[in-house]
mmCIF file of all heavy atoms in Angstrom:
data_model
loop_
_atom_site.group_PDB
_atom_site.id
_atom_site.type_symbol
_atom_site.label_atom_id
_atom_site.label_comp_id
_atom_site.label_asym_id
_atom_site.label_seq_id
_atom_site.Cartn_x
_atom_site.Cartn_y
_atom_site.Cartn_z
ATOM 1 N N ARG A 11 0.782 -1.228 0.000
ATOM 2 C CA ARG A 11 0.000 0.000 0.000
ATOM 3 C C ARG A 11 0.816 1.282 0.000
ATOM 4 O O ARG A 11 0.353 2.322 -0.480
ATOM 5 C CB ARG A 11 -0.928 0.035 1.220
ATOM 6 C CG ARG A 11 -2.112 -0.902 1.142
ATOM 7 C CD ARG A 11 -3.084 -0.609 2.261
ATOM 8 N NE ARG A 11 -3.433 0.807 2.331
ATOM 9 C CZ ARG A 11 -4.237 1.329 3.243
ATOM 10 N NH1 ARG A 11 -4.790 0.551 4.148
ATOM 11 N NH2 ARG A 11 -4.499 2.622 3.250
ATOM 12 N N VAL A 12 2.003 1.237 0.579
ATOM 13 C CA VAL A 12 2.767 2.475 0.776
ATOM 14 C C VAL A 12 3.381 2.944 -0.543
ATOM 15 O O VAL A 12 4.247 2.278 -1.115
ATOM 16 C CB VAL A 12 3.848 2.278 1.856
ATOM 17 C CG1 VAL A 12 4.829 3.439 1.866
ATOM 18 C CG2 VAL A 12 3.191 2.140 3.222
ATOM 19 N N ARG A 13 2.891 4.087 -1.002
ATOM 20 C CA ARG A 13 3.383 4.741 -2.208
ATOM 21 C C ARG A 13 3.383 6.248 -1.971
ATOM 22 O O ARG A 13 2.491 6.759 -1.286
ATOM 23 C CB ARG A 13 2.493 4.426 -3.420
ATOM 24 C CG ARG A 13 2.427 2.949 -3.807
ATOM 25 C CD ARG A 13 3.750 2.462 -4.391
ATOM 26 N NE ARG A 13 3.662 1.061 -4.814
ATOM 27 C CZ ARG A 13 3.904 0.026 -4.042
ATOM 28 N NH1 ARG A 13 4.240 0.228 -2.767
ATOM 29 N NH2 ARG A 13 3.830 -1.209 -4.493
ATOM 30 N N PRO A 14 4.328 6.994 -2.542
ATOM 31 C CA PRO A 14 4.314 8.454 -2.368
ATOM 32 C C PRO A 14 2.973 9.050 -2.799
ATOM 33 O O PRO A 14 2.435 8.715 -3.854
ATOM 34 C CB PRO A 14 5.456 8.924 -3.283
ATOM 35 C CG PRO A 14 6.374 7.752 -3.376
ATOM 36 C CD PRO A 14 5.485 6.545 -3.356
ATOM 37 N N GLY A 15 2.416 9.909 -1.937
ATOM 38 C CA GLY A 15 1.157 10.569 -2.239
ATOM 39 C C GLY A 15 -0.074 9.845 -1.742
ATOM 40 O O GLY A 15 -1.162 10.438 -1.681
ATOM 41 N N ALA A 16 0.042 8.562 -1.385
ATOM 42 C CA ALA A 16 -1.102 7.829 -0.853
ATOM 43 C C ALA A 16 -1.387 8.280 0.581
ATOM 44 O O ALA A 16 -0.531 8.863 1.251
ATOM 45 C CB ALA A 16 -0.831 6.328 -0.890
ATOM 46 N N THR A 17 -2.598 8.031 1.042
ATOM 47 C CA THR A 17 -2.968 8.394 2.410
ATOM 48 C C THR A 17 -2.949 7.156 3.305
ATOM 49 O O THR A 17 -3.132 6.031 2.833
ATOM 50 C CB THR A 17 -4.359 9.039 2.455
ATOM 51 O OG1 THR A 17 -5.329 8.109 1.923
ATOM 52 C CG2 THR A 17 -4.382 10.318 1.645
ATOM 53 N N LEU A 18 -2.735 7.387 4.592
ATOM 54 C CA LEU A 18 -2.671 6.291 5.557
ATOM 55 C C LEU A 18 -3.150 6.801 6.906
ATOM 56 O O LEU A 18 -2.663 7.824 7.398
ATOM 57 C CB LEU A 18 -1.239 5.762 5.664
ATOM 58 C CG LEU A 18 -0.994 4.545 6.559
ATOM 59 C CD1 LEU A 18 -1.771 3.332 6.044
ATOM 60 C CD2 LEU A 18 0.485 4.214 6.617
ATOM 61 N N ALA A 19 -4.110 6.090 7.493
ATOM 62 C CA ALA A 19 -4.587 6.452 8.823
ATOM 63 C C ALA A 19 -3.694 5.801 9.874
ATOM 64 O O ALA A 19 -3.329 4.629 9.766
ATOM 65 C CB ALA A 19 -6.030 5.996 9.010
ATOM 66 N N ILE A 20 -3.350 6.581 10.898
ATOM 67 C CA ILE A 20 -2.479 6.084 11.960
ATOM 68 C C ILE A 20 -3.071 6.443 13.316
ATOM 69 O O ILE A 20 -4.019 7.232 13.408
ATOM 70 C CB ILE A 20 -1.058 6.681 11.849
ATOM 71 C CG1 ILE A 20 -1.096 8.198 12.108
ATOM 72 C CG2 ILE A 20 -0.452 6.377 10.484
ATOM 73 C CD1 ILE A 20 0.273 8.836 12.230
ATOM 74 N N GLY A 21 -2.525 5.866 14.369
ATOM 75 C CA GLY A 21 -2.889 6.236 15.733
ATOM 76 C C GLY A 21 -1.826 7.132 16.341
ATOM 77 O O GLY A 21 -0.706 7.235 15.826
ATOM 78 N N ALA A 22 -2.172 7.787 17.427
ATOM 79 C CA ALA A 22 -1.216 8.649 18.119
ATOM 80 C C ALA A 22 -0.085 7.803 18.717
ATOM 81 O O ALA A 22 -0.281 6.637 19.074
ATOM 82 C CB ALA A 22 -1.918 9.437 19.218
ATOM 83 N N PRO A 23 1.109 8.360 18.834
ATOM 84 C CA PRO A 23 2.244 7.601 19.378
ATOM 85 C C PRO A 23 1.991 7.118 20.806
ATOM 86 O O PRO A 23 1.402 7.825 21.628
ATOM 87 C CB PRO A 23 3.398 8.614 19.348
ATOM 88 C CG PRO A 23 3.009 9.609 18.316
ATOM 89 C CD PRO A 23 1.518 9.709 18.403
ATOM 90 N N ARG A 24 2.441 5.886 21.082
ATOM 91 C CA ARG A 24 2.441 5.332 22.439
ATOM 92 C C ARG A 24 3.846 4.809 22.706
ATOM 93 O O ARG A 24 4.513 4.332 21.805
ATOM 94 C CB ARG A 24 1.424 4.189 22.573
ATOM 95 C CG ARG A 24 0.003 4.585 22.278
ATOM 96 C CD ARG A 24 -0.980 3.579 22.885
ATOM 97 N NE ARG A 24 -0.756 2.230 22.422
ATOM 98 C CZ ARG A 24 -1.336 1.701 21.337
ATOM 99 N NH1 ARG A 24 -2.129 2.434 20.592
ATOM 100 N NH2 ARG A 24 -1.105 0.460 20.978
ATOM 101 N N ASN A 25 4.270 4.868 23.953
ATOM 102 C CA ASN A 25 5.651 4.520 24.259
ATOM 103 C C ASN A 25 5.727 3.466 25.350
ATOM 104 O O ASN A 25 5.383 3.723 26.505
ATOM 105 C CB ASN A 25 6.443 5.766 24.678
ATOM 106 C CG ASN A 25 7.943 5.578 24.493
ATOM 107 O OD1 ASN A 25 8.424 4.463 24.405
ATOM 108 N ND2 ASN A 25 8.673 6.682 24.415
ATOM 109 N N LEU A 26 6.185 2.268 24.980
ATOM 110 C CA LEU A 26 6.436 1.193 25.936
ATOM 111 C C LEU A 26 7.930 1.001 26.187
ATOM 112 O O LEU A 26 8.322 0.114 26.929
ATOM 113 C CB LEU A 26 5.854 -0.133 25.387
ATOM 114 C CG LEU A 26 4.384 -0.128 24.980
ATOM 115 C CD1 LEU A 26 4.004 -1.463 24.372
ATOM 116 C CD2 LEU A 26 3.501 0.188 26.184
ATOM 117 N N PHE A 27 8.741 1.839 25.570
ATOM 118 C CA PHE A 27 10.191 1.645 25.581
ATOM 119 C C PHE A 27 10.900 2.989 25.725
ATOM 120 O O PHE A 27 11.719 3.379 24.909
ATOM 121 C CB PHE A 27 10.584 0.961 24.261
ATOM 122 C CG PHE A 27 12.011 0.508 24.150
ATOM 123 C CD1 PHE A 27 12.694 -0.052 25.206
ATOM 124 C CD2 PHE A 27 12.669 0.618 22.925
ATOM 125 C CE1 PHE A 27 14.006 -0.480 25.076
ATOM 126 C CE2 PHE A 27 13.985 0.184 22.774
ATOM 127 C CZ PHE A 27 14.647 -0.370 23.846
ATOM 128 N N PRO A 28 10.589 3.750 26.788
ATOM 129 C CA PRO A 28 11.113 5.120 26.890
ATOM 130 C C PRO A 28 12.564 5.158 27.362
ATOM 131 O O PRO A 28 13.055 4.247 28.035
ATOM 132 C CB PRO A 28 10.197 5.755 27.934
ATOM 133 C CG PRO A 28 9.796 4.603 28.823
ATOM 134 C CD PRO A 28 9.684 3.414 27.899
ATOM 135 N N LEU A 29 13.227 6.238 26.990
ATOM 136 C CA LEU A 29 14.550 6.529 27.540
ATOM 137 C C LEU A 29 14.413 6.938 29.003
ATOM 138 O O LEU A 29 13.443 7.592 29.384
ATOM 139 C CB LEU A 29 15.198 7.678 26.779
ATOM 140 C CG LEU A 29 15.989 7.358 25.514
ATOM 141 C CD1 LEU A 29 16.315 8.652 24.773
ATOM 142 C CD2 LEU A 29 17.272 6.602 25.840
ATOM 143 N N ASP A 30 15.396 6.556 29.810
ATOM 144 C CA ASP A 30 15.455 7.002 31.197
ATOM 145 C C ASP A 30 16.031 8.414 31.202
ATOM 146 O O ASP A 30 17.244 8.607 31.132
ATOM 147 C CB ASP A 30 16.327 6.051 32.013
ATOM 148 C CG ASP A 30 16.434 6.454 33.475
ATOM 149 O OD1 ASP A 30 15.835 7.483 33.853
ATOM 150 O OD2 ASP A 30 17.114 5.740 34.233
ATOM 151 N N THR A 31 15.138 9.401 31.273
ATOM 152 C CA THR A 31 15.591 10.792 31.168
ATOM 153 C C THR A 31 16.365 11.253 32.394
ATOM 154 O O THR A 31 17.051 12.279 32.349
ATOM 155 C CB THR A 31 14.388 11.727 30.952
ATOM 156 O OG1 THR A 31 13.435 11.523 32.018
ATOM 157 C CG2 THR A 31 13.703 11.426 29.621
ATOM 158 N N GLY A 32 16.290 10.516 33.496
ATOM 159 C CA GLY A 32 17.028 10.893 34.692
ATOM 160 C C GLY A 32 18.458 10.395 34.705
ATOM 161 O O GLY A 32 19.252 10.788 35.565
ATOM 162 N N HIS A 33 18.814 9.529 33.741
ATOM 163 C CA HIS A 33 20.161 8.962 33.708
ATOM 164 C C HIS A 33 21.081 9.865 32.907
ATOM 165 O O HIS A 33 20.770 10.267 31.791
ATOM 166 C CB HIS A 33 20.116 7.571 33.071
ATOM 167 C CG HIS A 33 21.458 6.911 32.979
ATOM 168 N ND1 HIS A 33 22.082 6.353 34.064
ATOM 169 C CD2 HIS A 33 22.303 6.752 31.929
ATOM 170 C CE1 HIS A 33 23.253 5.859 33.695
ATOM 171 N NE2 HIS A 33 23.406 6.086 32.409
ATOM 172 N N ARG A 34 22.244 10.203 33.468
ATOM 173 C CA ARG A 34 23.173 11.105 32.804
ATOM 174 C C ARG A 34 24.479 10.440 32.417
ATOM 175 O O ARG A 34 25.389 11.102 31.931
ATOM 176 C CB ARG A 34 23.458 12.318 33.711
ATOM 177 C CG ARG A 34 22.240 13.202 33.922
ATOM 178 C CD ARG A 34 21.724 13.729 32.601
ATOM 179 N NE ARG A 34 20.407 14.340 32.716
ATOM 180 C CZ ARG A 34 19.663 14.688 31.683
ATOM 181 N NH1 ARG A 34 20.080 14.440 30.465
ATOM 182 N NH2 ARG A 34 18.482 15.246 31.864
ATOM 183 N N GLY A 35 24.602 9.131 32.609
ATOM 184 C CA GLY A 35 25.799 8.428 32.179
ATOM 185 C C GLY A 35 25.670 7.999 30.732
ATOM 186 O O GLY A 35 24.880 8.543 29.957
ATOM 187 N N GLU A 36 26.443 7.009 30.342
ATOM 188 C CA GLU A 36 26.415 6.541 28.956
ATOM 189 C C GLU A 36 25.246 5.593 28.727
ATOM 190 O O GLU A 36 24.887 4.791 29.603
ATOM 191 C CB GLU A 36 27.727 5.825 28.598
ATOM 192 C CG GLU A 36 27.754 5.334 27.155
ATOM 193 C CD GLU A 36 29.088 4.721 26.762
ATOM 194 O OE1 GLU A 36 30.077 4.921 27.500
ATOM 195 O OE2 GLU A 36 29.146 4.052 25.713
ATOM 196 N N ALA A 37 24.662 5.660 27.544
ATOM 197 C CA ALA A 37 23.623 4.715 27.123
ATOM 198 C C ALA A 37 24.234 3.795 26.080
ATOM 199 O O ALA A 37 24.839 4.253 25.104
ATOM 200 C CB ALA A 37 22.420 5.456 26.553
ATOM 201 N N LEU A 38 24.066 2.492 26.290
ATOM 202 C CA LEU A 38 24.514 1.496 25.324
ATOM 203 C C LEU A 38 23.273 0.967 24.612
ATOM 204 O O LEU A 38 22.402 0.366 25.243
ATOM 205 C CB LEU A 38 25.259 0.368 26.028
ATOM 206 C CG LEU A 38 25.966 -0.639 25.122
ATOM 207 C CD1 LEU A 38 27.175 0.012 24.466
ATOM 208 C CD2 LEU A 38 26.399 -1.872 25.909
ATOM 209 N N LEU A 39 23.182 1.202 23.304
ATOM 210 C CA LEU A 39 22.020 0.829 22.513
ATOM 211 C C LEU A 39 22.380 -0.371 21.646
ATOM 212 O O LEU A 39 23.363 -0.328 20.899
ATOM 213 C CB LEU A 39 21.580 1.992 21.622
ATOM 214 C CG LEU A 39 21.500 3.382 22.273
ATOM 215 C CD1 LEU A 39 21.106 4.430 21.222
ATOM 216 C CD2 LEU A 39 20.510 3.375 23.427
ATOM 217 N N VAL A 40 21.588 -1.446 21.717
ATOM 218 C CA VAL A 40 21.856 -2.659 20.940
ATOM 219 C C VAL A 40 20.610 -2.993 20.141
ATOM 220 O O VAL A 40 19.576 -3.353 20.709
ATOM 221 C CB VAL A 40 22.252 -3.842 21.844
ATOM 222 C CG1 VAL A 40 22.555 -5.072 20.985
ATOM 223 C CG2 VAL A 40 23.442 -3.485 22.722
ATOM 224 N N GLY A 41 20.711 -2.877 18.821
ATOM 225 C CA GLY A 41 19.578 -3.171 17.952
ATOM 226 C C GLY A 41 19.880 -4.334 17.036
ATOM 227 O O GLY A 41 20.890 -4.341 16.335
ATOM 228 N N GLY A 42 19.009 -5.333 17.047
ATOM 229 C CA GLY A 42 19.160 -6.493 16.183
ATOM 230 C C GLY A 42 18.208 -6.416 15.002
ATOM 231 O O GLY A 42 16.990 -6.398 15.174
ATOM 232 N N GLY A 43 18.739 -6.345 13.774
ATOM 233 C CA GLY A 43 17.893 -6.304 12.590
ATOM 234 C C GLY A 43 16.966 -5.108 12.600
ATOM 235 O O GLY A 43 17.374 -3.981 12.879
ATOM 236 N N ILE A 44 15.673 -5.347 12.316
ATOM 237 C CA ILE A 44 14.690 -4.266 12.279
ATOM 238 C C ILE A 44 14.488 -3.659 13.671
ATOM 239 O O ILE A 44 13.954 -2.552 13.803
ATOM 240 C CB ILE A 44 13.352 -4.773 11.703
ATOM 241 C CG1 ILE A 44 12.447 -3.616 11.283
ATOM 242 C CG2 ILE A 44 12.655 -5.701 12.686
ATOM 243 C CD1 ILE A 44 12.987 -2.793 10.142
ATOM 244 N N GLY A 45 14.978 -4.341 14.706
ATOM 245 C CA GLY A 45 14.887 -3.814 16.068
ATOM 246 C C GLY A 45 15.720 -2.574 16.295
ATOM 247 O O GLY A 45 15.602 -1.933 17.350
ATOM 248 N N VAL A 46 16.524 -2.182 15.326
ATOM 249 C CA VAL A 46 17.323 -0.965 15.474
ATOM 250 C C VAL A 46 16.453 0.284 15.363
ATOM 251 O O VAL A 46 16.864 1.371 15.780
ATOM 252 C CB VAL A 46 18.454 -0.926 14.419
ATOM 253 C CG1 VAL A 46 17.915 -0.568 13.033
ATOM 254 C CG2 VAL A 46 19.557 0.037 14.828
ATOM 255 N N THR A 47 15.235 0.168 14.821
ATOM 256 C CA THR A 47 14.446 1.368 14.518
ATOM 257 C C THR A 47 14.196 2.271 15.730
ATOM 258 O O THR A 47 14.468 3.481 15.644
ATOM 259 C CB THR A 47 13.120 0.995 13.832
ATOM 260 O OG1 THR A 47 12.443 -0.029 14.572
ATOM 261 C CG2 THR A 47 13.379 0.505 12.413
ATOM 262 N N PRO A 48 13.700 1.783 16.875
ATOM 263 C CA PRO A 48 13.503 2.720 17.987
ATOM 264 C C PRO A 48 14.804 3.258 18.551
ATOM 265 O O PRO A 48 14.838 4.351 19.131
ATOM 266 C CB PRO A 48 12.754 1.882 19.030
ATOM 267 C CG PRO A 48 13.141 0.477 18.738
ATOM 268 C CD PRO A 48 13.280 0.424 17.239
ATOM 269 N N LEU A 49 15.895 2.516 18.357
ATOM 270 C CA LEU A 49 17.188 2.958 18.879
ATOM 271 C C LEU A 49 17.771 4.096 18.044
ATOM 272 O O LEU A 49 18.544 4.918 18.551
ATOM 273 C CB LEU A 49 18.154 1.775 18.935
ATOM 274 C CG LEU A 49 17.653 0.600 19.785
ATOM 275 C CD1 LEU A 49 18.663 -0.538 19.767
ATOM 276 C CD2 LEU A 49 17.365 1.027 21.209
ATOM 277 N N ILE A 50 17.402 4.157 16.758
ATOM 278 C CA ILE A 50 17.817 5.300 15.940
ATOM 279 C C ILE A 50 17.204 6.579 16.509
ATOM 280 O O ILE A 50 17.869 7.615 16.619
ATOM 281 C CB ILE A 50 17.404 5.092 14.473
ATOM 282 C CG1 ILE A 50 18.168 3.915 13.872
ATOM 283 C CG2 ILE A 50 17.643 6.360 13.663
ATOM 284 C CD1 ILE A 50 17.706 3.516 12.480
ATOM 285 N N ALA A 51 15.919 6.499 16.889
ATOM 286 C CA ALA A 51 15.270 7.661 17.511
ATOM 287 C C ALA A 51 15.953 8.022 18.821
ATOM 288 O O ALA A 51 16.133 9.205 19.138
ATOM 289 C CB ALA A 51 13.785 7.367 17.736
ATOM 290 N N MET A 52 16.348 7.022 19.609
ATOM 291 C CA MET A 52 17.050 7.295 20.855
ATOM 292 C C MET A 52 18.389 7.974 20.591
ATOM 293 O O MET A 52 18.792 8.896 21.322
ATOM 294 C CB MET A 52 17.263 5.994 21.633
ATOM 295 C CG MET A 52 16.006 5.393 22.202
ATOM 296 S SD MET A 52 16.357 3.925 23.210
ATOM 297 C CE MET A 52 14.693 3.475 23.717
ATOM 298 N N ALA A 53 19.083 7.537 19.544
ATOM 299 C CA ALA A 53 20.368 8.148 19.213
ATOM 300 C C ALA A 53 20.192 9.632 18.877
ATOM 301 O O ALA A 53 21.021 10.464 19.275
ATOM 302 C CB ALA A 53 21.011 7.402 18.044
ATOM 303 N N HIS A 54 19.117 9.963 18.168
ATOM 304 C CA HIS A 54 18.838 11.372 17.882
ATOM 305 C C HIS A 54 18.636 12.161 19.182
ATOM 306 O O HIS A 54 19.206 13.245 19.375
ATOM 307 C CB HIS A 54 17.591 11.492 17.011
ATOM 308 C CG HIS A 54 17.819 11.245 15.562
ATOM 309 N ND1 HIS A 54 18.554 12.096 14.771
ATOM 310 C CD2 HIS A 54 17.393 10.238 14.757
ATOM 311 C CE1 HIS A 54 18.573 11.623 13.529
ATOM 312 N NE2 HIS A 54 17.875 10.501 13.494
ATOM 313 N N THR A 55 17.799 11.623 20.069
ATOM 314 C CA THR A 55 17.491 12.320 21.320
ATOM 315 C C THR A 55 18.731 12.497 22.177
ATOM 316 O O THR A 55 18.972 13.573 22.751
ATOM 317 C CB THR A 55 16.408 11.554 22.097
ATOM 318 O OG1 THR A 55 15.200 11.548 21.329
ATOM 319 C CG2 THR A 55 16.137 12.186 23.447
ATOM 320 N N LEU A 56 19.538 11.462 22.287
ATOM 321 C CA LEU A 56 20.754 11.538 23.089
ATOM 322 C C LEU A 56 21.751 12.533 22.498
ATOM 323 O O LEU A 56 22.455 13.243 23.222
ATOM 324 C CB LEU A 56 21.383 10.149 23.209
ATOM 325 C CG LEU A 56 20.570 9.144 24.042
ATOM 326 C CD1 LEU A 56 21.066 7.721 23.784
ATOM 327 C CD2 LEU A 56 20.639 9.475 25.521
ATOM 328 N N THR A 57 21.794 12.592 21.176
ATOM 329 C CA THR A 57 22.672 13.563 20.516
ATOM 330 C C THR A 57 22.243 14.991 20.854
ATOM 331 O O THR A 57 23.074 15.839 21.199
ATOM 332 C CB THR A 57 22.650 13.347 18.995
ATOM 333 O OG1 THR A 57 23.142 12.038 18.692
ATOM 334 C CG2 THR A 57 23.514 14.390 18.290
#
């Protein structure tokens, strides 16, 4: 279904895997295969 210009209904974001915002040390992110996707977002936030 996914094509440029097509429409898609989605739900609002929900988070079951949040970053610990109170932690100020190093974060070690390990993503296996497609599991890297939420960790890419974490890398942006940490940056």
Side-chain angles (χ1 to χ4, degrees):
R11 287 190 51 182
V12 168
R13 298 290 182 272
T17 59
L18 184 62
I20 66 171
R24 300 200 303 270
N25 202 340
L26 306 176
F27 188 39
L29 274 169
D30 180 0
T31 55
H33 179 76
R34 294 301 168 191
E36 181 176 345
L38 189 71
L39 314 177
V40 181
I44 196 65
V46 76
T47 50
L49 302 179
I50 294 173
M52 290 184 180
H54 280 292
T55 296
L56 292 164
T57 298

